[in-house]
Every structure is written in C-alpha cells, then in structure tokens.
Amino acid sequence: IGKGQNVTETDVEALFSLVPELLSIIVGRANSKDNRLFHGRGDLSANMWACLHISQSLTDIRAVYPNLGETHFNALWGALEHLEKRRDMLTEGRRELPTVVVSLMALWSPKISTRKDHFERVIPILATYLEKDHSGIKATCGSLLESCHRYAPRTLLASIQQMVQAMQNGKLVLVPVLAHLYEIQPDAARLFDPHVEWLFDMYEGRYAGVKGYSAKEALAQRPHVAQIFRNVALNNCHVLEPYISRLIPGLKDKTTCQAVAQTLHAMAVKNPSLQIGIVDDIKEAVKRVPEHRADLMLLLAVIGASDRITSLELADYLLRIVEETQQDLILAKAQYQDMQARGTLTKDVKAREEARIEAFKRFLPIGLEHMRIIADKQTRAIVPLVERLQKFLAHEQQPVREHTFFLALAGSGGTGAGVKRCPREGSANADKHTEREAVFATVFCRKHSPWEFYYEVHKVFRNLNMPLVLMQVRFDGKLGFFGGHVEEGESVEETLARELREELNVEAAEAYEYVVSHEIPLTRTRAHFFAREVTQEQFYEIEARARDAQHMGSEVLGTLRAPLYVQDADEGLEGTGLPNFLRNNFHQGVVEELIWLIGCKRLLRREDVETAAAAAGIAIGYLLPEDYEPASNVKRATSAAAQSAQPRKPSTGSTGRSSRPESSGTTSSRGPGSV
C-alpha cells in the first residue's frame, strides 16, 4: 500500500480504521527534527520519507473508501492544522511536506460533505494555507475554495477579505475563485469595492503587487479579473461607472471581450446614457472579435433603445450585420456543396464547415432578437428597415421568421409584416411559402349618413357621407373579417359559403366577388378575400341577421363598422376616423385586405388613405392598386362642404331617428362618440 501494489480488501479495511493513527504519525514525523538517516536520497530524511509513503497509502485507501475524508474529518483537518506550523518546510523550494499537505487536502471532497460545520472549519484553514509561498498548495486551496462556495457559498463570506488580500499579495490562483464567488453570492461583491483600483491595474498589465509570477502568468488571469468586473456590475454597477474608459480596451481582446461586454451591458441597463460615446469602440470590437459579436450587439441594442437619435443608426447597423451573416451563410453552403461534389470533403473539413454553417444559423435569430430590443422602445427606428426585413420572412429557420415578423409589424404600424399579394390559384412560389388556405369576406355600401339629423354633434359629421364596411371582433380580441381556414376536402367556394352561414347567418355566397389574395408568412397561409356591395338597407339587414349567427358569441364576439372617413386638420379634429381606426390590433392580413378593398372599389380618395396611414404610422405604398386614382363619386368631408350644407330642423316624428330636444339647454360638440 502506497507503492501502487495490489492489496487485499481485508488489508485496506484494516488500515481504514487506523487512519487517525496514520495521520498522527505524519504529524509526529513532520514535526521531528531528526535528519540523521538519509539512505542516499539527498536531503530527504527518513521522517519525510515515511510521511510521503503514509500519505500515498491514504490516497490508495480513499480509492476504495471515497468517504474517508468525511468519516475521519476531525483527524484529517486536525493534522493539517498542525502541519501548517512548519512554515520552513512549506516553501516553493521544498517538495516533500507540500506534497504530503496536498495529498491530505485531496482526501476530503466538498461535494460529498453535507455538514455546514465542516465547511466552517475547513475554510479558515485553507485561508491560512493561502499565505504559504508554494504554488501547488495555493492551487489546491483555490480548487477546494471554489468547490466550497459551489456547495456552501455563505461559509466563505467570513474569509473573503483574507482571500482578497492573499490574491493581492500574489495568490493569483484565487482570481477565478473570487470571480465565481461573486457570481453565486451577490452580496460579496460589495466587499470588493475598495480593491477595484488595484484590479484595474492588474487588468491593464501593471503587476507591481504580484510576487513570484511573471508578467505572462499574471496576464493569464486577466479574463478572470474581467469576470470579477462583470459580477460586480450585476449587483453594484455604480462602482465601475468612473472606469468605463478603462474597460474599453478589453473589448478588443478575445479573452476578455465577452466578460467586458456583459459588464457594460449590466451597466447600460441601469444607465445607458453613459455609454453612448463608446458606440464606435463597440463597432470596432465587432470587427476584431466576431466570435463574441452576439454579446456586443446586445450591448448596442440596449444603448440604441435608450436614445432616439442613436437608435436609427444602431438599428440599421444591426440589420446590416444580420444581412452580412446571411450572405456568409449562403456562401458557406455553396462552398460546402462544391467540395462535396468534387470529393474533397474530408472528415475534418466536413466537421469544420458544418460547425461554421451552424454558427451562422445560430447567430441570425440572435441578431434579429437584439433588434427587437430597439423596436420595443424606439419603433420609428425600424420603419425605414421594413422593406429590407421582408426577405427574411421566408427564411428556412422558424425563429428568424418570427423575429422578422414582429420587427416588420412594429416598423409598419401593424401592417406590412411580410403580408404580400399572391395569385388566387396555387403557384410554385406561393406553394413554397404556404401550407394552408383561408377565406375571408365582408359586405360594404358606398353611402351612409349616420349623423345627418343630429344637431348636437360637430357640423362636419352631420354633412358626412361615408362608406360602410362590416367587420367583426374576433375571439382573440383582434379585429378582422368573417371567415376561416379551408378544411380538408373543401374548395374555396364551399368554405366561403360555410363561413358566411356560420358567422353572418346569410346564404348567397355566389353574390360575393373575389377581391385579392395574400400570403401570410408567419402562419404560412394563403388568404383569399371576397366582398359584396350592398345598399344601405341591405347592410342594416345583414348586420341584424349576424346577431343570430351560429358562431356569434364564440368565434365572433360582435360586429362593427369601419369608419371610412378622414377629418381635415383645420376642423380641429385631425386623426379622427380611419387614422384612429388603423391604430387598433388587427388579425394578420386584415389591414392589407381593407386597404386593398378601399382602393379597388374607390371608397376613398388615394390621398385620404395615405393621410390616414401616415397618421397611424403605416407604410402602405405597396398595398394600394397601381391604378388607384381619385374617383369623381368619392366625396370627402371638408370644411367647405360643411359650410355649404343646409342643416335641417330635427323632426323625430317623420324620420324615426332620435335627437336631443332643443330645450335641453346645452349642446355638445364631442363628435359621434357621444351620440
């Protein structure tokens, strides 16, 4: 035992019960001054020779009994307390007793120990050994301390200052230990505040306080120092605010880039305005350290979300990086296929190229997700990018399509999120991007004067003739048209008839005219839109019948009329009517269908639709028919029309409409919402 020879289990079991005596022998021999027996082994005495063999024996026993350190805990750490007094033997130039100490420390495992009092006894002893000038002992102590704080982090709090001081005096092995400790135990980060200046000296390459280490060895700890900065910033970021300019060089070093980017991100979340001036440095780091560009782009997104002017530049920059990555992905796939065709794709090359392609694929949704951080706070920064985002809506990756959809939705004010016109019948291109079909329909009339006999509303509304388009409130709370998906075995016409019967309680599906079809990339659906022009009386009748429809109250929560009018600014009511209506939450493709219907049937003048869309923040240039010109029979409510109109006296008996009596005293000009 102790020489690597095979022994019986009986012998090991007998020695296991004698571990306390073996440990006491080690302590006695180590403290002995007898150096008379050398036996040709240089300056190694018989006492040290015995200590080495016994410690190796204990290591062999632990291979059979892993709980040796836990079972004989008091004897083991009592022996280590006594051995700590031999300072003359625990130096860098000696190997015998340090080897014994390291072997004994390795007998106890924090992972196996479950008693808090054991941790509380071990940590002060380890902290004392940190003062010894031996790299092997320091490394073992660092490893044990790291394990201790993983399983009982609070037990280290009492020794933190001692550990920090030991690190400052040259025990660099503790840098990763403390970095990890501050991540697990946030309160400990505050204890490090007084040492920030010294840490930055180490971070920048000034190692005046480090003893026994070369500059190269000390430089190897720089990533761990950056990790300490990250953990301090997560809980106490104001301490690092004066040092932002000193953190920047770490962004251009691949060993520290990720930790520094995360440090700056934690600070930007609390106070982003401090980092607007370092945007160019972050962009430079993206070029130099592309492997960490995801963290750098997240930092840029947080900065962009805080400032309206900067957001325009950064949103465009992030999208440009995503576009370049997409081009790199296409090129990498082409190269892979070319090598595969030529037979030059060896096993190593194949693994390398596949890893490269996967890296590009992983980054694409991350880059778009970071753009959404800007879109959530600075929506207008996405508006100029909607057209460039369209090409990602048909991407092969589902996360890319989803992020792009929400970005385009935000940038187009609720429309333009990749919904585009397509042929009614299936085509090769349409079938590639769609998996199912849907049918939607509505009814509309051209002239309706809802407030003609209401003298208490604004004069402009009394003289207003407006088209009516019937819509519904869906079960999900969004606004939409009547219809649904085409079920298996159904044709589009059969689906139209069924949906009209279920949601509008009407027949005569043949009277509905086909208007347009759209592709909806997010749900991979091709939606066909139908409409029927009716008179005002027929419109009222259909609206009334809808209350008794089969799906009223379940799929359909109610009907509503789209307010198809735009109020002039000089009437003091700018934004009323269609502009306000377009700010609602619509089902996918509904705004596109409504605007196309308005343009196709000339229900409003083109400039009115564009004015309403602009007021609602919607880009609709590609949603209108190319031949959409002002129609002579489309009238607009202007101040001139209002002044030329001759108001009637209220007459409740002849018209059947109600109006408030003139004797009620005051009149109201609150608009149609008050009627």
Side-chain angles (χ1 to χ4, degrees):
I1 296 178
K3 295 185 178 180
Q5 299 177 2
N6 294 328
V7 294
T8 64
E9 186 174 343
T10 305
D11 294 335
V12 177
E13 184 177 358
L15 283 174
F16 182 74
S17 61
L18 298 175
V19 166
E21 296 182 34
L22 293 173
L23 289 169
S24 64
I25 292 174
I26 290 178
V27 171
R29 293 293 186 107
N31 289 322
S32 173
K33 302 296 183 180
D34 183 11
N35 292 319
R36 289 175 297 174
L37 299 177
F38 292 91
H39 300 293
R41 299 183 181 90
D43 62 351
L44 181 62
S45 68
N47 290 324
M48 286 297 100
W49 188 253
C51 290
L52 286 170
H53 275 292
I54 293 175
S55 65
Q56 184 59 50
S57 301
L58 295 174
T59 302
D60 291 344
I61 295 172
R62 186 179 184 274
V64 180
Y65 293 96
N67 62 337
L68 181 149
E70 186 70 14
T71 304
H72 301 290
F73 177 85
N74 291 325
L76 174 63
W77 288 98
L80 285 169
E81 277 185 304
H82 284 92
L83 294 176
E84 185 271 332
K85 299 175 182 178
R86 290 302 306 265
R87 299 175 183 273
D88 59 320
M89 299 287 288
L90 297 175
T91 60
E92 192 67 47
R94 306 301 295 265
R95 293 183 299 173
E96 305 83 17
L97 190 58
T99 302
V100 174
V101 168
V102 169
S103 299
L104 295 183
M105 286 182 177
L107 296 178
W108 179 74
S109 172
K111 185 176 181 180
I112 296 177
S113 181
T114 58
R115 296 178 55 177
K116 182 180 177 181
D117 59 321
H118 284 185
F119 285 95
E120 291 174 346
R121 182 178 182 186
V122 166
I123 289 169
I125 297 175
L126 293 176
T128 304
Y129 270 101
L130 287 173
E131 300 174 0
K132 304 298 182 286
D133 189 18
H134 192 278
S135 58
I137 292 177
K138 289 187 292 187
T140 304
C141 288
S143 177
L144 282 173
L145 286 169
E146 185 175 2
S147 298
C148 286
H149 89 265
R150 285 180 183 273
Y151 300 104
R154 291 187 178 277
T155 57
L156 273 74
L157 295 177
S159 303
I160 281 182
Q161 292 289 10
Q162 191 174 1
M163 293 163 63
V164 172
Q165 188 63 39
M167 185 183 71
Q168 193 167 352
N169 289 334
K171 311 303 186 294
L172 296 184
V173 69
L174 288 176
V175 176
V177 176
L178 289 168
H180 197 198
L181 173 64
Y182 294 147
E183 185 175 4
I184 299 242
Q185 189 62 41
D187 294 340
R190 295 188 178 88
L191 301 176
F192 220 171
D193 295 351
H195 305 277
V196 170
E197 187 67 35
W198 171 79
L199 282 173
F200 271 101
D201 288 341
M202 177 182 288
Y203 176 72
E204 293 170 343
R206 294 192 288 272
Y207 306 105
V210 178
K211 303 174 183 178
Y213 285 86
S214 66
K216 183 178 179 181
E217 291 173 321
L219 188 62
Q221 302 299 331
R222 192 182 183 197
H224 301 300
V225 176
Q227 193 71 12
I228 290 179
F229 291 152
R230 184 189 77 87
N231 297 328
V232 171
L234 288 174
N235 305 283
N236 209 13
C237 65
H238 73 275
V239 176
L240 297 176
E241 287 179 357
Y243 301 95
I244 289 180
S245 60
R246 298 176 68 177
L247 284 168
I248 297 303
L251 289 175
K252 301 171 185 177
D253 184 349
K254 65 180 181 180
T255 62
T256 58
C257 178
Q258 185 176 26
V260 173
Q262 292 172 352
T263 302
L264 293 171
H265 171 260
M267 298 168 67
V269 170
K270 301 291 180 62
N271 192 358
S273 60
L274 293 174
Q275 302 186 32
I276 293 177
I278 65 171
V279 168
D280 291 337
D281 296 298
I282 301 173
K283 290 181 179 179
E284 181 65 25
V286 172
K287 296 179 182 178
R288 292 195 181 189
V289 195
E291 56 265 36
H292 296 307
R293 58 183 172 180
D295 294 288
L296 294 168
M297 289 177 67
L298 176 60
L299 174 58
L300 288 173
V302 174
I303 296 173
S306 67
D307 183 72
R308 181 175 59 85
I309 298 176
T310 309
S311 64
L312 298 170
E313 172 195 350
L314 293 182
D316 177 79
Y317 177 78
L318 296 184
L319 181 56
R320 193 162 64 248
I321 296 295
V322 172
E323 290 172 335
E324 292 173 358
T325 304
Q326 175 64 16
Q327 293 299 322
D328 293 340
L329 175 60
I330 295 172
L331 181 60
K333 286 183 176 180
Q335 292 175 347
Y336 182 87
Q337 294 172 356
D338 181 58
M339 288 187 289
Q340 195 173 34
R342 288 185 297 160
T344 59
L345 199 63
T346 63
K347 184 177 180 180
D348 293 339
V349 174
K350 181 180 179 181
R352 185 183 70 237
E353 292 299 317
E354 288 179 349
R356 183 168 165 238
I357 291 173
E358 284 302 316
F360 290 142
K361 287 183 175 180
R362 285 195 303 269
F363 176 76
L364 283 173
I366 293 174
L368 292 169
E369 184 179 9
H370 292 165
M371 287 186 65
R372 290 182 63 180
I373 296 175
I374 298 179
D376 289 341
K377 301 292 184 181
Q378 306 290 342
T379 305
R380 290 189 178 276
I382 308 298
V383 174
L385 309 178
V386 171
E387 187 174 349
R388 290 164 59 189
L389 286 165
Q390 300 292 330
K391 58 178 173 287
F392 291 103
L393 285 162
H395 200 273
E396 60 182 3
Q397 295 178 253
Q398 176 69 14
V400 173
R401 294 198 302 271
E402 290 179 354
H403 289 311
T404 306
F405 172 80
F406 288 108
L407 283 170
L409 192 69
S412 59
T415 185
V419 179
K420 55 185 178 181
R421 294 192 301 276
C422 67
R424 177 178 178 179
E425 302 298 332
S427 64
N429 184 56
D431 291 338
K432 179 181 178 181
H433 301 148
T434 59
E435 297 175 354
R436 57 193 310 187
E437 292 185 303
V439 177
F440 298 97
T442 188
V443 295
F444 69 95
C445 68
R446 292 189 178 274
K447 291 186 178 182
H448 173 58
S449 302
W451 305 294
E452 182 177 3
F453 301 104
Y454 289 83
Y455 282 84
E456 54 192 18
V457 302
H458 197 282
K459 60 181 180 180
V460 174
F461 291 105
R462 291 203 306 271
N463 294 280
L464 182 65
N465 276 332
M466 56 180 278
L468 282 183
V469 176
L470 190 62
M471 301 182 69
Q472 65 159 293
V473 180
R474 291 163 43 88
F475 65 93
D476 55 7
K478 296 182 179 181
L479 306 185
F481 291 115
F482 305 90
H485 285 103
V486 177
E487 296 181 355
E488 186 175 356
E490 276 188 337
S491 65
V492 170
E493 290 74 16
E494 291 171 340
T495 302
L496 175 63
R498 175 176 57 80
E499 293 292 345
L500 289 174
R501 186 169 54 253
E502 293 174 348
E503 298 187 1
L504 270 180
N505 193 24
V506 297
E507 302 291 344
E510 64 279 358
Y512 287 77
E513 176 188 357
Y514 170 76
V515 178
V516 70
S517 295
H518 287 100
E519 287 181 13
I520 304 175
L522 183 65
T523 57
R524 290 183 171 267
T525 302
R526 183 163 65 247
H528 309 291
F529 184 52
F530 294 80
R532 175 187 176 188
E533 183 174 352
V534 296
T535 64
Q536 180 173 305
E537 290 72 18
Q538 290 173 323
F539 188 96
Y540 293 158
E541 181 183 354
I542 293 173
E543 192 176 37
R545 289 173 61 92
R547 301 191 189 100
D548 300 323
Q550 178 183 349
H551 289 171
M552 178 60 70
S554 55
E555 292 187 13
V556 181
L557 300 184
T559 61
L560 60 91
R561 303 172 181 178
L564 299 189
Y565 63 91
V566 180
Q567 187 56 52
D568 277 345
D570 58 1
E571 292 296 333
L573 296 171
E574 184 178 9
T576 57
L578 188 58
N580 275 340
F581 185 70
L582 291 178
R583 293 188 179 98
N584 283 298
N585 192 2
F586 293 92
H587 184 55
Q588 300 156 11
V590 171
V591 173
E592 288 80 1
E593 292 166 346
L594 176 61
I595 292 176
W596 187 267
L597 176 66
I598 293 172
C600 181
K601 300 301 181 181
R602 305 297 193 270
L603 300 181
L604 289 176
R605 300 199 312 178
R606 183 185 183 104
E607 52 265 37
D608 291 348
V609 180
E610 291 175 344
T611 300
I618 298 176
I620 63 166
Y622 60 95
L623 299 180
L624 296 172
E626 291 77 4
D627 60 345
Y628 186 13
E629 297 296 340
S632 59
N633 62 338
V634 178
K635 296 184 179 180
R636 185 181 183 189
T638 62
S639 59
Q643 291 174 3
S644 62
Q646 295 295 328
R648 299 184 189 179
K649 297 291 184 181
S651 176
T652 57
S654 60
T655 62
R657 297 176 181 266
S658 63
S659 63
R660 189 171 296 177
E662 295 182 2
S663 60
S664 59
T666 60
T667 60
S668 171
S669 60
R670 290 177 293 172
S674 64
V675 178

mmCIF file of all heavy atoms in Angstrom, residues 239-262:
data_model
loop_
_atom_site.group_PDB
_atom_site.id
_atom_site.type_symbol
_atom_site.label_atom_id
_atom_site.label_comp_id
_atom_site.label_asym_id
_atom_site.label_seq_id
_atom_site.Cartn_x
_atom_site.Cartn_y
_atom_site.Cartn_z
ATOM 1 N N VAL A 239 -20.116 51.380 -8.912
ATOM 2 C CA VAL A 239 -18.700 51.367 -8.553
ATOM 3 C C VAL A 239 -17.825 51.456 -9.799
ATOM 4 O O VAL A 239 -16.747 52.057 -9.785
ATOM 5 C CB VAL A 239 -18.373 50.087 -7.751
ATOM 6 C CG1 VAL A 239 -16.884 49.992 -7.453
ATOM 7 C CG2 VAL A 239 -19.170 50.062 -6.459
ATOM 8 N N LEU A 240 -18.283 50.878 -10.910
ATOM 9 C CA LEU A 240 -17.485 50.821 -12.133
ATOM 10 C C LEU A 240 -17.750 51.980 -13.085
ATOM 11 O O LEU A 240 -17.067 52.101 -14.103
ATOM 12 C CB LEU A 240 -17.761 49.504 -12.868
ATOM 13 C CG LEU A 240 -17.373 48.225 -12.126
ATOM 14 C CD1 LEU A 240 -17.781 47.009 -12.932
ATOM 15 C CD2 LEU A 240 -15.877 48.193 -11.849
ATOM 16 N N GLU A 241 -18.733 52.808 -12.813
ATOM 17 C CA GLU A 241 -19.073 53.880 -13.750
ATOM 18 C C GLU A 241 -17.899 54.813 -14.044
ATOM 19 O O GLU A 241 -17.717 55.220 -15.191
ATOM 20 C CB GLU A 241 -20.280 54.673 -13.218
ATOM 21 C CG GLU A 241 -21.592 53.901 -13.339
ATOM 22 C CD GLU A 241 -22.773 54.680 -12.801
ATOM 23 O OE1 GLU A 241 -22.557 55.802 -12.283
ATOM 24 O OE2 GLU A 241 -23.909 54.186 -12.902
ATOM 25 N N PRO A 242 -17.038 55.152 -13.065
ATOM 26 C CA PRO A 242 -15.897 56.022 -13.401
ATOM 27 C C PRO A 242 -14.834 55.330 -14.252
ATOM 28 O O PRO A 242 -13.910 55.994 -14.735
ATOM 29 C CB PRO A 242 -15.327 56.410 -12.026
ATOM 30 C CG PRO A 242 -16.417 56.106 -11.039
ATOM 31 C CD PRO A 242 -17.145 54.948 -11.609
ATOM 32 N N TYR A 243 -14.945 54.009 -14.433
ATOM 33 C CA TYR A 243 -13.886 53.255 -15.103
ATOM 34 C C TYR A 243 -14.283 52.768 -16.495
ATOM 35 O O TYR A 243 -13.624 51.888 -17.048
ATOM 36 C CB TYR A 243 -13.491 52.041 -14.248
ATOM 37 C CG TYR A 243 -12.992 52.379 -12.873
ATOM 38 C CD1 TYR A 243 -13.860 52.379 -11.787
ATOM 39 C CD2 TYR A 243 -11.663 52.693 -12.648
ATOM 40 C CE1 TYR A 243 -13.411 52.685 -10.513
ATOM 41 C CE2 TYR A 243 -11.203 52.998 -11.378
ATOM 42 C CZ TYR A 243 -12.078 52.993 -10.313
ATOM 43 O OH TYR A 243 -11.630 53.289 -9.061
ATOM 44 N N ILE A 244 -15.355 53.314 -17.068
ATOM 45 C CA ILE A 244 -15.828 52.820 -18.368
ATOM 46 C C ILE A 244 -14.733 52.930 -19.422
ATOM 47 O O ILE A 244 -14.511 51.999 -20.208
ATOM 48 C CB ILE A 244 -17.089 53.591 -18.801
ATOM 49 C CG1 ILE A 244 -18.282 53.188 -17.927
ATOM 50 C CG2 ILE A 244 -17.418 53.320 -20.271
ATOM 51 C CD1 ILE A 244 -19.572 53.900 -18.276
ATOM 52 N N SER A 245 -14.031 54.032 -19.452
ATOM 53 C CA SER A 245 -12.988 54.216 -20.473
ATOM 54 C C SER A 245 -11.857 53.210 -20.303
ATOM 55 O O SER A 245 -11.199 52.832 -21.279
ATOM 56 C CB SER A 245 -12.438 55.641 -20.407
ATOM 57 O OG SER A 245 -11.877 55.909 -19.130
ATOM 58 N N ARG A 246 -11.615 52.749 -19.083
ATOM 59 C CA ARG A 246 -10.551 51.764 -18.846
ATOM 60 C C ARG A 246 -11.008 50.346 -19.165
ATOM 61 O O ARG A 246 -10.181 49.452 -19.342
ATOM 62 C CB ARG A 246 -10.077 51.859 -17.392
ATOM 63 C CG ARG A 246 -9.468 53.207 -17.050
ATOM 64 C CD ARG A 246 -9.097 53.325 -15.589
ATOM 65 N NE ARG A 246 -7.993 52.452 -15.201
ATOM 66 C CZ ARG A 246 -7.449 52.432 -13.982
ATOM 67 N NH1 ARG A 246 -7.922 53.258 -13.034
ATOM 68 N NH2 ARG A 246 -6.454 51.625 -13.697
ATOM 69 N N LEU A 247 -12.319 50.138 -19.240
ATOM 70 C CA LEU A 247 -12.829 48.820 -19.624
ATOM 71 C C LEU A 247 -12.764 48.586 -21.133
ATOM 72 O O LEU A 247 -12.669 47.446 -21.581
ATOM 73 C CB LEU A 247 -14.283 48.673 -19.155
ATOM 74 C CG LEU A 247 -14.531 48.413 -17.677
ATOM 75 C CD1 LEU A 247 -16.004 48.588 -17.354
ATOM 76 C CD2 LEU A 247 -14.080 47.013 -17.290
ATOM 77 N N ILE A 248 -12.831 49.662 -21.922
ATOM 78 C CA ILE A 248 -12.964 49.553 -23.372
ATOM 79 C C ILE A 248 -11.885 48.699 -24.020
ATOM 80 O O ILE A 248 -12.186 47.866 -24.887
ATOM 81 C CB ILE A 248 -12.994 50.961 -24.015
ATOM 82 C CG1 ILE A 248 -14.217 51.721 -23.522
ATOM 83 C CG2 ILE A 248 -13.017 50.868 -25.528
ATOM 84 C CD1 ILE A 248 -15.516 51.031 -23.795
ATOM 85 N N PRO A 249 -10.574 48.833 -23.670
ATOM 86 C CA PRO A 249 -9.565 48.003 -24.348
ATOM 87 C C PRO A 249 -9.840 46.505 -24.272
ATOM 88 O O PRO A 249 -9.444 45.760 -25.159
ATOM 89 C CB PRO A 249 -8.262 48.377 -23.616
ATOM 90 C CG PRO A 249 -8.501 49.760 -23.107
ATOM 91 C CD PRO A 249 -9.949 49.797 -22.737
ATOM 92 N N GLY A 250 -10.524 46.077 -23.216
ATOM 93 C CA GLY A 250 -10.824 44.653 -23.097
ATOM 94 C C GLY A 250 -11.799 44.147 -24.136
ATOM 95 O O GLY A 250 -11.880 42.936 -24.383
ATOM 96 N N LEU A 251 -12.561 45.050 -24.775
ATOM 97 C CA LEU A 251 -13.490 44.625 -25.829
ATOM 98 C C LEU A 251 -12.760 44.100 -27.054
ATOM 99 O O LEU A 251 -13.319 43.322 -27.833
ATOM 100 C CB LEU A 251 -14.391 45.794 -26.236
ATOM 101 C CG LEU A 251 -15.457 46.239 -25.232
ATOM 102 C CD1 LEU A 251 -16.172 47.475 -25.745
ATOM 103 C CD2 LEU A 251 -16.455 45.120 -24.967
ATOM 104 N N LYS A 252 -11.528 44.525 -27.256
ATOM 105 C CA LYS A 252 -10.785 44.144 -28.454
ATOM 106 C C LYS A 252 -9.865 42.950 -28.226
ATOM 107 O O LYS A 252 -9.071 42.602 -29.089
ATOM 108 C CB LYS A 252 -9.981 45.350 -28.950
ATOM 109 C CG LYS A 252 -10.883 46.544 -29.269
ATOM 110 C CD LYS A 252 -10.103 47.800 -29.542
ATOM 111 C CE LYS A 252 -11.059 48.984 -29.743
ATOM 112 N NZ LYS A 252 -10.360 50.262 -29.950
ATOM 113 N N ASP A 253 -9.963 42.331 -27.054
ATOM 114 C CA ASP A 253 -9.194 41.131 -26.717
ATOM 115 C C ASP A 253 -10.178 39.966 -26.596
ATOM 116 O O ASP A 253 -11.122 40.022 -25.813
ATOM 117 C CB ASP A 253 -8.451 41.356 -25.403
ATOM 118 C CG ASP A 253 -7.553 40.172 -25.051
ATOM 119 O OD1 ASP A 253 -7.672 39.120 -25.697
ATOM 120 O OD2 ASP A 253 -6.741 40.304 -24.114
ATOM 121 N N LYS A 254 -9.961 38.938 -27.373
ATOM 122 C CA LYS A 254 -10.942 37.845 -27.392
ATOM 123 C C LYS A 254 -11.033 37.108 -26.064
ATOM 124 O O LYS A 254 -12.046 36.461 -25.777
ATOM 125 C CB LYS A 254 -10.619 36.866 -28.515
ATOM 126 C CG LYS A 254 -9.310 36.113 -28.362
ATOM 127 C CD LYS A 254 -9.098 35.163 -29.529
ATOM 128 C CE LYS A 254 -7.801 34.382 -29.386
ATOM 129 N NZ LYS A 254 -7.608 33.466 -30.529
ATOM 130 N N THR A 255 -9.986 37.198 -25.213
ATOM 131 C CA THR A 255 -10.046 36.512 -23.920
ATOM 132 C C THR A 255 -10.900 37.266 -22.908
ATOM 133 O O THR A 255 -11.372 36.678 -21.932
ATOM 134 C CB THR A 255 -8.634 36.321 -23.342
ATOM 135 O OG1 THR A 255 -8.040 37.610 -23.123
ATOM 136 C CG2 THR A 255 -7.767 35.518 -24.295
ATOM 137 N N THR A 256 -11.085 38.554 -23.107
ATOM 138 C CA THR A 256 -11.849 39.359 -22.149
ATOM 139 C C THR A 256 -13.090 39.994 -22.770
ATOM 140 O O THR A 256 -13.889 40.596 -22.045
ATOM 141 C CB THR A 256 -10.968 40.481 -21.577
ATOM 142 O OG1 THR A 256 -10.487 41.296 -22.655
ATOM 143 C CG2 THR A 256 -9.787 39.907 -20.818
ATOM 144 N N CYS A 257 -13.259 39.880 -24.080
ATOM 145 C CA CYS A 257 -14.326 40.603 -24.769
ATOM 146 C C CYS A 257 -15.702 40.269 -24.209
ATOM 147 O O CYS A 257 -16.505 41.163 -23.917
ATOM 148 C CB CYS A 257 -14.271 40.298 -26.265
ATOM 149 S SG CYS A 257 -15.579 41.097 -27.211
ATOM 150 N N GLN A 258 -15.984 38.993 -24.037
ATOM 151 C CA GLN A 258 -17.324 38.596 -23.600
ATOM 152 C C GLN A 258 -17.637 39.132 -22.202
ATOM 153 O O GLN A 258 -18.710 39.696 -21.962
ATOM 154 C CB GLN A 258 -17.461 37.080 -23.618
ATOM 155 C CG GLN A 258 -18.854 36.594 -23.289
ATOM 156 C CD GLN A 258 -18.983 35.091 -23.411
ATOM 157 O OE1 GLN A 258 -18.013 34.356 -23.267
ATOM 158 N NE2 GLN A 258 -20.183 34.610 -23.692
ATOM 159 N N ALA A 259 -16.694 38.979 -21.272
ATOM 160 C CA ALA A 259 -16.936 39.443 -19.900
ATOM 161 C C ALA A 259 -17.083 40.962 -19.850
ATOM 162 O O ALA A 259 -17.946 41.488 -19.139
ATOM 163 C CB ALA A 259 -15.802 38.980 -18.986
ATOM 164 N N VAL A 260 -16.255 41.687 -20.604
ATOM 165 C CA VAL A 260 -16.341 43.150 -20.595
ATOM 166 C C VAL A 260 -17.651 43.602 -21.240
ATOM 167 O O VAL A 260 -18.306 44.540 -20.760
ATOM 168 C CB VAL A 260 -15.128 43.764 -21.323
ATOM 169 C CG1 VAL A 260 -15.294 45.272 -21.461
ATOM 170 C CG2 VAL A 260 -13.849 43.451 -20.561
ATOM 171 N N ALA A 261 -18.049 42.942 -22.342
ATOM 172 C CA ALA A 261 -19.325 43.292 -22.981
ATOM 173 C C ALA A 261 -20.491 43.065 -22.027
ATOM 174 O O ALA A 261 -21.421 43.882 -21.955
ATOM 175 C CB ALA A 261 -19.507 42.466 -24.257
ATOM 176 N N GLN A 262 -20.450 41.983 -21.272
ATOM 177 C CA GLN A 262 -21.506 41.720 -20.304
ATOM 178 C C GLN A 262 -21.459 42.719 -19.145
ATOM 179 O O GLN A 262 -22.496 43.098 -18.596
ATOM 180 C CB GLN A 262 -21.381 40.289 -19.781
ATOM 181 C CG GLN A 262 -21.680 39.240 -20.849
ATOM 182 C CD GLN A 262 -21.366 37.832 -20.392
ATOM 183 O OE1 GLN A 262 -20.778 37.627 -19.330
ATOM 184 N NE2 GLN A 262 -21.738 36.851 -21.191
#
